[in-house]
Amino acid sequence: PVNKTINLGDSVTVSLKASGNGLKYQWYFCKTGQTAFSMWNGRTHASETCTPNATWNGIRLYCVVKDADGNSVKSNTVTVKVNQSLAITTQPVNKTINLGDSVTISMKASGNGLKYQWYFCKTGQTAFSVWNGRTHASETCTPNATWNGIRLYCVVKDADGNSVKSNTVTVKVNQSLAITTQPVNKTINLGDSVTRLEISVVLPQNRTDGVQRVERSHARFRDLHAQRHMERNSALLRCNRRRRKFREVKHRNNYGKIVSI
């Protein structure tokens, strides 16, 4: 018998010739990735024809011939190559998981000598990058929070250098509501700015008309000064830096303390 190369879907014939009395034939096969040969059941003629599927690519075959006296001889081992057009047969799909769970992204392709490479693009980015080390048709990992909204696709190449790109899919990572960074205590000097800080100091009454002088420092308006009328329970504030006036009527007590501005 001789080696054969066919296209997927075509038929193939393997055959041999032998001399002797009362000859009997039995073919054996070993598929790619296997080491042991198995009997090809029902294949007991000098010539056998079949239509292989994709698993036949790289299959090895030989025939054992026996005569009427019980003698036997083994033929050469030959290989059948089945050419397949490169194509994606099953596309990857979108996934939604909870934070901490694993996720599997997979696809299937047909072709000879296939090689895979996955690519990713995180939320907020525009360019895709190589997902290093992810070179299989199916990849599994446990994403962190930055994976929410990540986009993925796979490029498949065959032995002849042809390539095809899969659909782009998105992985959504659900996260439980939680405070990830707590506020902290602050110590500052009077007059320094700090986020949302307000400091008020009320001075003793120094006039006879029921008006107090109030000094106030604020994160947004530095060097605020005010006069507060005790009976009306309100204050007129002046910002020296911006020369603006503010009317405040939210004071709630009669002890000269500013409640809010």
Side-chain angles (χ1 to χ4, degrees):
V2 296
N3 296 329
K4 298 281 185 174
T5 299
I6 64 168
N7 293 321
L8 184 63
D10 293 345
S11 62
V12 63
T13 298
V14 287
S15 60
L16 58 72
K17 292 182 179 180
S19 61
N21 298 318
L23 299 181
K24 293 182 179 180
Y25 305 87
Q26 178 60 61
W27 289 88
Y28 294 80
F29 72 91
C30 181
K31 291 185 177 182
T32 300
Q34 299 177 346
T35 55
F37 280 80
S38 302
M39 182 182 294
W40 192 6
N41 293 326
R43 302 299 179 165
T44 57
H45 301 89
S47 179
E48 291 291 350
T49 300
C50 68
T51 303
N53 58 28
T55 65
W56 261 63
N57 186 43
I59 199 169
R60 291 171 291 159
L61 302 164
Y62 68 78
C63 185
V64 172
V65 186
K66 291 183 178 180
D67 64 14
D69 298 324
N71 301 310
S72 65
V73 62
K74 175 185 172 184
S75 74
N76 293 340
T77 299
V78 296
T79 301
V80 176
K81 180 181 178 181
V82 182
N83 288 328
Q84 305 176 62
S85 298
L86 176 62
I88 295 177
T89 56
T90 303
Q91 294 282 356
V93 296
N94 297 328
K95 298 281 186 171
T96 299
I97 63 169
N98 294 322
L99 185 63
D101 292 346
S102 62
V103 62
T104 298
I105 305 295
S106 60
M107 48 88 71
K108 292 181 180 179
S110 63
N112 296 320
L114 299 182
K115 293 183 179 180
Y116 304 85
Q117 179 60 64
W118 289 89
Y119 294 81
F120 72 90
C121 181
K122 292 186 176 181
T123 300
Q125 298 177 347
T126 56
F128 280 79
S129 302
V130 173
W131 192 8
N132 292 324
R134 302 298 181 164
T135 56
H136 301 88
S138 181
E139 292 291 350
T140 300
C141 66
T142 302
N144 56 29
T146 65
W147 261 61
N148 187 38
I150 198 170
R151 292 172 289 158
L152 301 163
Y153 68 78
C154 185
V155 172
V156 188
K157 293 184 178 180
D158 66 12
D160 298 321
N162 302 309
S163 64
V164 63
K165 174 185 171 183
S166 76
N167 292 343
T168 299
V169 297
T170 302
V171 176
K172 180 180 179 182
V173 181
N174 291 325
Q175 304 176 58
S176 299
L177 176 62
I179 296 176
T180 57
T181 302
Q182 292 285 355
V184 297
N185 298 328
K186 299 281 186 176
T187 300
I188 65 167
N189 295 320
L190 183 63
D192 292 346
S193 63
V194 66
T195 303
R196 301 301 300 167
L197 176 67
E198 293 183 8
I199 298 175
S200 299
V201 178
V202 179
L203 303 180
Q205 183 173 347
N206 55 12
R207 296 178 59 176
T208 59
D209 56 359
V211 176
Q212 287 183 333
R213 179 172 174 79
V214 179
E215 300 288 342
R216 180 179 178 81
S217 176
H218 190 279
R220 292 180 56 195
F221 307 110
R222 298 291 187 92
D223 305 323
L224 292 179
H225 304 283
Q227 288 185 339
R228 179 177 185 278
H229 197 286
M230 299 297 293
E231 294 180 356
R232 295 181 181 177
N233 199 29
S234 64
L236 177 66
L237 280 75
R238 181 184 299 278
C239 178
N240 289 348
R241 179 171 300 178
R242 302 191 181 190
R243 296 181 180 179
R244 295 173 60 184
K245 294 183 179 181
F246 302 88
R247 176 70 63 181
E248 176 56 56
V249 294
K250 293 184 179 179
H251 305 307
R252 299 178 182 176
N253 57 56
N254 294 320
Y255 297 98
K257 293 185 178 180
I258 297 176
V259 175
S260 64
I261 291 180

PDB file of all heavy atoms in Angstrom, residues 177-206:
ATOM      1  N   LEU A 177     -22.144  44.685  46.404  1.00  0.00           N
ATOM      2  CA  LEU A 177     -21.929  46.039  46.884  1.00  0.00           C
ATOM      3  C   LEU A 177     -21.051  46.017  48.131  1.00  0.00           C
ATOM      4  O   LEU A 177     -21.334  45.291  49.091  1.00  0.00           O
ATOM      5  CB  LEU A 177     -23.266  46.700  47.206  1.00  0.00           C
ATOM      6  CG  LEU A 177     -23.199  48.104  47.803  1.00  0.00           C
ATOM      7  CD1 LEU A 177     -22.544  49.069  46.821  1.00  0.00           C
ATOM      8  CD2 LEU A 177     -24.579  48.583  48.192  1.00  0.00           C
ATOM      9  N   ALA A 178     -19.972  46.804  48.121  1.00  0.00           N
ATOM     10  CA  ALA A 178     -19.062  46.838  49.262  1.00  0.00           C
ATOM     11  C   ALA A 178     -18.225  48.106  49.198  1.00  0.00           C
ATOM     12  O   ALA A 178     -17.951  48.630  48.119  1.00  0.00           O
ATOM     13  CB  ALA A 178     -18.156  45.615  49.276  1.00  0.00           C
ATOM     14  N   ILE A 179     -17.844  48.635  50.373  1.00  0.00           N
ATOM     15  CA  ILE A 179     -16.911  49.756  50.436  1.00  0.00           C
ATOM     16  C   ILE A 179     -15.504  49.187  50.367  1.00  0.00           C
ATOM     17  O   ILE A 179     -15.097  48.404  51.229  1.00  0.00           O
ATOM     18  CB  ILE A 179     -17.105  50.568  51.724  1.00  0.00           C
ATOM     19  CG1 ILE A 179     -18.498  51.199  51.734  1.00  0.00           C
ATOM     20  CG2 ILE A 179     -16.028  51.633  51.860  1.00  0.00           C
ATOM     21  CD1 ILE A 179     -18.817  51.943  53.006  1.00  0.00           C
ATOM     22  N   THR A 180     -14.762  49.574  49.360  1.00  0.00           N
ATOM     23  CA  THR A 180     -13.417  49.023  49.175  1.00  0.00           C
ATOM     24  C   THR A 180     -12.340  49.900  49.813  1.00  0.00           C
ATOM     25  O   THR A 180     -11.251  49.420  50.113  1.00  0.00           O
ATOM     26  CB  THR A 180     -13.111  48.852  47.685  1.00  0.00           C
ATOM     27  OG1 THR A 180     -13.266  50.109  47.029  1.00  0.00           O
ATOM     28  CG2 THR A 180     -14.072  47.837  47.059  1.00  0.00           C
ATOM     29  N   THR A 181     -12.643  51.206  50.014  1.00  0.00           N
ATOM     30  CA  THR A 181     -11.697  52.099  50.688  1.00  0.00           C
ATOM     31  C   THR A 181     -12.470  52.968  51.669  1.00  0.00           C
ATOM     32  O   THR A 181     -13.348  53.737  51.265  1.00  0.00           O
ATOM     33  CB  THR A 181     -10.953  52.990  49.681  1.00  0.00           C
ATOM     34  OG1 THR A 181     -10.272  52.171  48.737  1.00  0.00           O
ATOM     35  CG2 THR A 181      -9.938  53.877  50.398  1.00  0.00           C
ATOM     36  N   GLN A 182     -12.167  52.859  52.968  1.00  0.00           N
ATOM     37  CA  GLN A 182     -12.866  53.607  53.997  1.00  0.00           C
ATOM     38  C   GLN A 182     -12.246  54.994  54.160  1.00  0.00           C
ATOM     39  O   GLN A 182     -11.065  55.195  53.884  1.00  0.00           O
ATOM     40  CB  GLN A 182     -12.793  52.854  55.329  1.00  0.00           C
ATOM     41  CG  GLN A 182     -13.565  51.547  55.359  1.00  0.00           C
ATOM     42  CD  GLN A 182     -15.062  51.757  55.460  1.00  0.00           C
ATOM     43  OE1 GLN A 182     -15.541  52.881  55.604  1.00  0.00           O
ATOM     44  NE2 GLN A 182     -15.822  50.670  55.381  1.00  0.00           N
ATOM     45  N   PRO A 183     -13.061  55.989  54.612  1.00  0.00           N
ATOM     46  CA  PRO A 183     -12.484  57.293  54.948  1.00  0.00           C
ATOM     47  C   PRO A 183     -11.590  57.166  56.177  1.00  0.00           C
ATOM     48  O   PRO A 183     -11.734  56.221  56.968  1.00  0.00           O
ATOM     49  CB  PRO A 183     -13.718  58.154  55.237  1.00  0.00           C
ATOM     50  CG  PRO A 183     -14.772  57.173  55.633  1.00  0.00           C
ATOM     51  CD  PRO A 183     -14.503  55.932  54.838  1.00  0.00           C
ATOM     52  N   VAL A 184     -10.677  58.104  56.345  1.00  0.00           N
ATOM     53  CA  VAL A 184      -9.724  58.039  57.471  1.00  0.00           C
ATOM     54  C   VAL A 184      -9.753  59.345  58.248  1.00  0.00           C
ATOM     55  O   VAL A 184     -10.166  60.397  57.734  1.00  0.00           O
ATOM     56  CB  VAL A 184      -8.294  57.754  56.969  1.00  0.00           C
ATOM     57  CG1 VAL A 184      -8.227  56.393  56.303  1.00  0.00           C
ATOM     58  CG2 VAL A 184      -7.830  58.835  56.000  1.00  0.00           C
ATOM     59  N   ASN A 185      -9.306  59.298  59.505  1.00  0.00           N
ATOM     60  CA  ASN A 185      -9.204  60.487  60.345  1.00  0.00           C
ATOM     61  C   ASN A 185      -8.203  61.472  59.756  1.00  0.00           C
ATOM     62  O   ASN A 185      -7.229  61.074  59.103  1.00  0.00           O
ATOM     63  CB  ASN A 185      -8.778  60.113  61.752  1.00  0.00           C
ATOM     64  CG  ASN A 185      -9.791  59.210  62.433  1.00  0.00           C
ATOM     65  OD1 ASN A 185     -10.990  59.316  62.182  1.00  0.00           O
ATOM     66  ND2 ASN A 185      -9.315  58.317  63.285  1.00  0.00           N
ATOM     67  N   LYS A 186      -8.449  62.786  59.986  1.00  0.00           N
ATOM     68  CA  LYS A 186      -7.567  63.830  59.479  1.00  0.00           C
ATOM     69  C   LYS A 186      -7.193  64.779  60.607  1.00  0.00           C
ATOM     70  O   LYS A 186      -8.008  65.073  61.485  1.00  0.00           O
ATOM     71  CB  LYS A 186      -8.243  64.626  58.356  1.00  0.00           C
ATOM     72  CG  LYS A 186      -8.619  63.797  57.121  1.00  0.00           C
ATOM     73  CD  LYS A 186      -7.419  63.538  56.245  1.00  0.00           C
ATOM     74  CE  LYS A 186      -7.836  62.841  54.959  1.00  0.00           C
ATOM     75  NZ  LYS A 186      -6.716  62.645  54.033  1.00  0.00           N
ATOM     76  N   THR A 187      -5.964  65.282  60.591  1.00  0.00           N
ATOM     77  CA  THR A 187      -5.520  66.341  61.490  1.00  0.00           C
ATOM     78  C   THR A 187      -4.872  67.430  60.654  1.00  0.00           C
ATOM     79  O   THR A 187      -3.917  67.156  59.912  1.00  0.00           O
ATOM     80  CB  THR A 187      -4.512  65.815  62.521  1.00  0.00           C
ATOM     81  OG1 THR A 187      -5.134  64.783  63.298  1.00  0.00           O
ATOM     82  CG2 THR A 187      -4.055  66.934  63.445  1.00  0.00           C
ATOM     83  N   ILE A 188      -5.373  68.652  60.739  1.00  0.00           N
ATOM     84  CA  ILE A 188      -4.827  69.746  59.940  1.00  0.00           C
ATOM     85  C   ILE A 188      -4.648  70.978  60.809  1.00  0.00           C
ATOM     86  O   ILE A 188      -5.104  71.021  61.960  1.00  0.00           O
ATOM     87  CB  ILE A 188      -5.751  70.087  58.757  1.00  0.00           C
ATOM     88  CG1 ILE A 188      -7.082  70.632  59.278  1.00  0.00           C
ATOM     89  CG2 ILE A 188      -5.960  68.890  57.858  1.00  0.00           C
ATOM     90  CD1 ILE A 188      -7.930  71.271  58.202  1.00  0.00           C
ATOM     91  N   ASN A 189      -3.978  71.984  60.255  1.00  0.00           N
ATOM     92  CA  ASN A 189      -3.862  73.285  60.896  1.00  0.00           C
ATOM     93  C   ASN A 189      -4.984  74.189  60.406  1.00  0.00           C
ATOM     94  O   ASN A 189      -5.450  74.055  59.265  1.00  0.00           O
ATOM     95  CB  ASN A 189      -2.516  73.924  60.572  1.00  0.00           C
ATOM     96  CG  ASN A 189      -1.371  73.131  61.164  1.00  0.00           C
ATOM     97  OD1 ASN A 189      -1.454  72.642  62.291  1.00  0.00           O
ATOM     98  ND2 ASN A 189      -0.277  73.015  60.403  1.00  0.00           N
ATOM     99  N   LEU A 190      -5.423  75.110  61.262  1.00  0.00           N
ATOM    100  CA  LEU A 190      -6.471  76.039  60.885  1.00  0.00           C
ATOM    101  C   LEU A 190      -6.048  76.829  59.653  1.00  0.00           C
ATOM    102  O   LEU A 190      -4.957  77.398  59.616  1.00  0.00           O
ATOM    103  CB  LEU A 190      -6.786  76.989  62.044  1.00  0.00           C
ATOM    104  CG  LEU A 190      -7.927  77.985  61.801  1.00  0.00           C
ATOM    105  CD1 LEU A 190      -9.232  77.254  61.593  1.00  0.00           C
ATOM    106  CD2 LEU A 190      -8.030  78.960  62.972  1.00  0.00           C
ATOM    107  N   GLY A 191      -6.894  76.834  58.660  1.00  0.00           N
ATOM    108  CA  GLY A 191      -6.587  77.535  57.423  1.00  0.00           C
ATOM    109  C   GLY A 191      -6.164  76.616  56.301  1.00  0.00           C
ATOM    110  O   GLY A 191      -6.192  76.995  55.134  1.00  0.00           O
ATOM    111  N   ASP A 192      -5.737  75.387  56.662  1.00  0.00           N
ATOM    112  CA  ASP A 192      -5.395  74.424  55.616  1.00  0.00           C
ATOM    113  C   ASP A 192      -6.664  73.910  54.959  1.00  0.00           C
ATOM    114  O   ASP A 192      -7.738  73.898  55.559  1.00  0.00           O
ATOM    115  CB  ASP A 192      -4.613  73.247  56.202  1.00  0.00           C
ATOM    116  CG  ASP A 192      -3.229  73.649  56.675  1.00  0.00           C
ATOM    117  OD1 ASP A 192      -2.798  74.758  56.300  1.00  0.00           O
ATOM    118  OD2 ASP A 192      -2.609  72.873  57.416  1.00  0.00           O
ATOM    119  N   SER A 193      -6.528  73.502  53.699  1.00  0.00           N
ATOM    120  CA  SER A 193      -7.680  72.961  52.987  1.00  0.00           C
ATOM    121  C   SER A 193      -7.714  71.454  53.122  1.00  0.00           C
ATOM    122  O   SER A 193      -6.678  70.798  53.183  1.00  0.00           O
ATOM    123  CB  SER A 193      -7.622  73.345  51.496  1.00  0.00           C
ATOM    124  OG  SER A 193      -6.477  72.781  50.901  1.00  0.00           O
ATOM    125  N   VAL A 194      -8.912  70.915  53.184  1.00  0.00           N
ATOM    126  CA  VAL A 194      -9.106  69.476  53.222  1.00  0.00           C
ATOM    127  C   VAL A 194     -10.486  69.206  52.647  1.00  0.00           C
ATOM    128  O   VAL A 194     -11.373  70.048  52.738  1.00  0.00           O
ATOM    129  CB  VAL A 194      -8.990  68.914  54.655  1.00  0.00           C
ATOM    130  CG1 VAL A 194     -10.122  69.422  55.514  1.00  0.00           C
ATOM    131  CG2 VAL A 194      -8.982  67.383  54.655  1.00  0.00           C
ATOM    132  N   THR A 195     -10.651  68.092  52.053  1.00  0.00           N
ATOM    133  CA  THR A 195     -11.917  67.781  51.407  1.00  0.00           C
ATOM    134  C   THR A 195     -13.080  67.844  52.392  1.00  0.00           C
ATOM    135  O   THR A 195     -13.065  67.157  53.416  1.00  0.00           O
ATOM    136  CB  THR A 195     -11.854  66.387  50.774  1.00  0.00           C
ATOM    137  OG1 THR A 195     -10.756  66.352  49.868  1.00  0.00           O
ATOM    138  CG2 THR A 195     -13.136  66.063  50.035  1.00  0.00           C
ATOM    139  N   ARG A 196     -14.044  68.729  52.092  1.00  0.00           N
ATOM    140  CA  ARG A 196     -15.297  68.878  52.844  1.00  0.00           C
ATOM    141  C   ARG A 196     -15.092  69.284  54.295  1.00  0.00           C
ATOM    142  O   ARG A 196     -15.896  68.959  55.160  1.00  0.00           O
ATOM    143  CB  ARG A 196     -16.107  67.580  52.800  1.00  0.00           C
ATOM    144  CG  ARG A 196     -16.492  67.102  51.425  1.00  0.00           C
ATOM    145  CD  ARG A 196     -17.322  68.126  50.696  1.00  0.00           C
ATOM    146  NE  ARG A 196     -18.546  68.420  51.414  1.00  0.00           N
ATOM    147  CZ  ARG A 196     -19.315  69.439  51.122  1.00  0.00           C
ATOM    148  NH1 ARG A 196     -18.980  70.297  50.173  1.00  0.00           N
ATOM    149  NH2 ARG A 196     -20.436  69.642  51.797  1.00  0.00           N
ATOM    150  N   LEU A 197     -14.004  70.002  54.605  1.00  0.00           N
ATOM    151  CA  LEU A 197     -13.774  70.437  55.982  1.00  0.00           C
ATOM    152  C   LEU A 197     -14.431  71.785  56.244  1.00  0.00           C
ATOM    153  O   LEU A 197     -14.317  72.701  55.435  1.00  0.00           O
ATOM    154  CB  LEU A 197     -12.270  70.537  56.253  1.00  0.00           C
ATOM    155  CG  LEU A 197     -11.911  71.083  57.640  1.00  0.00           C
ATOM    156  CD1 LEU A 197     -12.327  70.101  58.714  1.00  0.00           C
ATOM    157  CD2 LEU A 197     -10.442  71.409  57.723  1.00  0.00           C
ATOM    158  N   GLU A 198     -15.088  71.937  57.387  1.00  0.00           N
ATOM    159  CA  GLU A 198     -15.622  73.215  57.810  1.00  0.00           C
ATOM    160  C   GLU A 198     -15.261  73.426  59.271  1.00  0.00           C
ATOM    161  O   GLU A 198     -15.470  72.543  60.107  1.00  0.00           O
ATOM    162  CB  GLU A 198     -17.143  73.272  57.647  1.00  0.00           C
ATOM    163  CG  GLU A 198     -17.608  73.236  56.205  1.00  0.00           C
ATOM    164  CD  GLU A 198     -19.099  73.370  56.107  1.00  0.00           C
ATOM    165  OE1 GLU A 198     -19.727  73.647  57.152  1.00  0.00           O
ATOM    166  OE2 GLU A 198     -19.625  73.197  55.011  1.00  0.00           O
ATOM    167  N   ILE A 199     -14.703  74.604  59.594  1.00  0.00           N
ATOM    168  CA  ILE A 199     -14.344  74.927  60.972  1.00  0.00           C
ATOM    169  C   ILE A 199     -14.947  76.281  61.313  1.00  0.00           C
ATOM    170  O   ILE A 199     -14.802  77.237  60.545  1.00  0.00           O
ATOM    171  CB  ILE A 199     -12.813  74.982  61.168  1.00  0.00           C
ATOM    172  CG1 ILE A 199     -12.209  73.616  60.863  1.00  0.00           C
ATOM    173  CG2 ILE A 199     -12.455  75.414  62.590  1.00  0.00           C
ATOM    174  CD1 ILE A 199     -10.711  73.597  60.910  1.00  0.00           C
ATOM    175  N   SER A 200     -15.617  76.393  62.443  1.00  0.00           N
ATOM    176  CA  SER A 200     -16.220  77.657  62.860  1.00  0.00           C
ATOM    177  C   SER A 200     -15.750  78.018  64.257  1.00  0.00           C
ATOM    178  O   SER A 200     -15.671  77.154  65.131  1.00  0.00           O
ATOM    179  CB  SER A 200     -17.745  77.561  62.859  1.00  0.00           C
ATOM    180  OG  SER A 200     -18.202  77.280  61.557  1.00  0.00           O
ATOM    181  N   VAL A 201     -15.434  79.293  64.460  1.00  0.00           N
ATOM    182  CA  VAL A 201     -15.056  79.800  65.781  1.00  0.00           C
ATOM    183  C   VAL A 201     -15.902  81.027  66.073  1.00  0.00           C
ATOM    184  O   VAL A 201     -15.915  81.978  65.278  1.00  0.00           O
ATOM    185  CB  VAL A 201     -13.555  80.170  65.840  1.00  0.00           C
ATOM    186  CG1 VAL A 201     -13.222  80.737  67.216  1.00  0.00           C
ATOM    187  CG2 VAL A 201     -12.708  78.950  65.528  1.00  0.00           C
ATOM    188  N   VAL A 202     -16.611  81.035  67.204  1.00  0.00           N
ATOM    189  CA  VAL A 202     -17.459  82.167  67.594  1.00  0.00           C
ATOM    190  C   VAL A 202     -16.765  82.934  68.720  1.00  0.00           C
ATOM    191  O   VAL A 202     -16.404  82.356  69.739  1.00  0.00           O
ATOM    192  CB  VAL A 202     -18.839  81.698  68.057  1.00  0.00           C
ATOM    193  CG1 VAL A 202     -19.700  82.897  68.471  1.00  0.00           C
ATOM    194  CG2 VAL A 202     -19.510  80.927  66.937  1.00  0.00           C
ATOM    195  N   LEU A 203     -16.582  84.237  68.522  1.00  0.00           N
ATOM    196  CA  LEU A 203     -15.897  85.075  69.498  1.00  0.00           C
ATOM    197  C   LEU A 203     -16.903  85.655  70.491  1.00  0.00           C
ATOM    198  O   LEU A 203     -18.098  85.754  70.191  1.00  0.00           O
ATOM    199  CB  LEU A 203     -15.162  86.204  68.778  1.00  0.00           C
ATOM    200  CG  LEU A 203     -14.150  85.743  67.735  1.00  0.00           C
ATOM    201  CD1 LEU A 203     -13.482  86.952  67.093  1.00  0.00           C
ATOM    202  CD2 LEU A 203     -13.113  84.817  68.349  1.00  0.00           C
ATOM    203  N   PRO A 204     -16.445  86.073  71.675  1.00  0.00           N
ATOM    204  CA  PRO A 204     -17.359  86.690  72.654  1.00  0.00           C
ATOM    205  C   PRO A 204     -17.984  87.958  72.099  1.00  0.00           C
ATOM    206  O   PRO A 204     -17.431  88.621  71.231  1.00  0.00           O
ATOM    207  CB  PRO A 204     -16.435  87.017  73.827  1.00  0.00           C
ATOM    208  CG  PRO A 204     -15.263  86.100  73.651  1.00  0.00           C
ATOM    209  CD  PRO A 204     -15.089  85.947  72.173  1.00  0.00           C
ATOM    210  N   GLN A 205     -19.177  88.265  72.631  1.00  0.00           N
ATOM    211  CA  GLN A 205     -19.882  89.461  72.177  1.00  0.00           C
ATOM    212  C   GLN A 205     -19.071  90.692  72.556  1.00  0.00           C
ATOM    213  O   GLN A 205     -18.618  90.821  73.688  1.00  0.00           O
ATOM    214  CB  GLN A 205     -21.271  89.520  72.816  1.00  0.00           C
ATOM    215  CG  GLN A 205     -22.112  90.696  72.350  1.00  0.00           C
ATOM    216  CD  GLN A 205     -23.515  90.601  72.891  1.00  0.00           C
ATOM    217  OE1 GLN A 205     -23.913  89.568  73.408  1.00  0.00           O
ATOM    218  NE2 GLN A 205     -24.268  91.687  72.771  1.00  0.00           N
ATOM    219  N   ASN A 206     -18.846  91.610  71.618  1.00  0.00           N
ATOM    220  CA  ASN A 206     -18.021  92.780  71.894  1.00  0.00           C
ATOM    221  C   ASN A 206     -18.712  94.093  71.557  1.00  0.00           C
ATOM    222  O   ASN A 206     -18.087  95.128  71.512  1.00  0.00           O
ATOM    223  CB  ASN A 206     -16.705  92.701  71.127  1.00  0.00           C
ATOM    224  CG  ASN A 206     -16.918  92.517  69.643  1.00  0.00           C
ATOM    225  OD1 ASN A 206     -18.024  92.673  69.151  1.00  0.00           O
ATOM    226  ND2 ASN A 206     -15.833  92.190  68.942  1.00  0.00           N
TER     227      ASN A 206
END
